[in-house]
Amino acid sequence: MELEVTEIDAATHCVRLQGRLDAAGADQIGIRFTASTAAAGQHAIVDLAGVPFIASMGIRLLISSARALNAKGGKMVLFGAQELVQDVLEQAAVDQIIPLVATEQQALESLQA
C-alpha cells in the first residue's frame, strides 16, 4: 500500500492511495494516513482510484480518520473509487459518514458546500 500527500492549498491536502486497503495495507499506512489527515486538521480529499480492494480495516481507517478530522473542524471527501470499492463503501454506509464523489473536482466542490 502506497500513500502520497500533496497540498492543494493552505487548507486542503490530497491523499492518493495505491494498493489494497485490506488489514495489511491499512496497517502499513495507518499512522501516516492519520497524521496526514486528522492530525493536520486541514480538509482532506482522498483519491481511491488506485485502490482495487477495500476490507473492513481499510473502512475503519477511513472512518476513524474522518471523525478525528471532523472533531478538529476539518472535512474529508473520498473520490475516484473503482466500482467494486464504491459498492463496498456504499453497502457499509460509509458514504453516509464521508462524502463519496466521482472526481477530484467534485471533491473540492464538496468541501465548499
Side-chain angles (χ1 to χ4, degrees):
M1 187 78 208
E2 295 178 26
L3 173 148
E4 176 188 333
V5 181
T6 55
E7 188 173 299
I8 303 286
D9 57 40
T12 310
H13 281 98
C14 179
V15 180
R16 298 187 194 284
L17 301 178
Q18 186 77 34
R20 293 172 56 93
L21 198 48
D22 52 13
D27 187 50
Q28 188 176 11
I29 64 160
I31 293 170
R32 288 184 323 170
F33 184 80
T34 301
S36 61
T37 56
Q42 297 177 316
H43 297 309
I45 58 172
V46 181
D47 183 354
L48 298 175
V51 178
F53 178 83
I54 189 166
S56 59
M57 291 301 290
I59 292 170
R60 180 174 171 246
L61 175 63
L62 294 175
I63 291 172
S64 63
S65 294
R67 286 185 172 156
L69 179 57
N70 190 45
K72 291 186 175 194
K75 184 176 180 182
M76 180 183 290
V77 179
L78 308 175
F79 74 94
Q82 297 178 26
E83 187 175 347
L84 175 66
V85 171
Q86 180 154 341
D87 288 348
V88 170
L89 293 172
E90 288 173 353
Q91 288 176 6
V94 173
D95 59 331
Q96 302 298 311
I97 300 166
I98 310 168
L100 178 60
V101 297
T103 68
E104 184 172 345
Q105 184 61 40
Q106 289 172 330
L108 292 169
E109 289 170 1
S110 178
L111 291 176
Q112 306 306 317

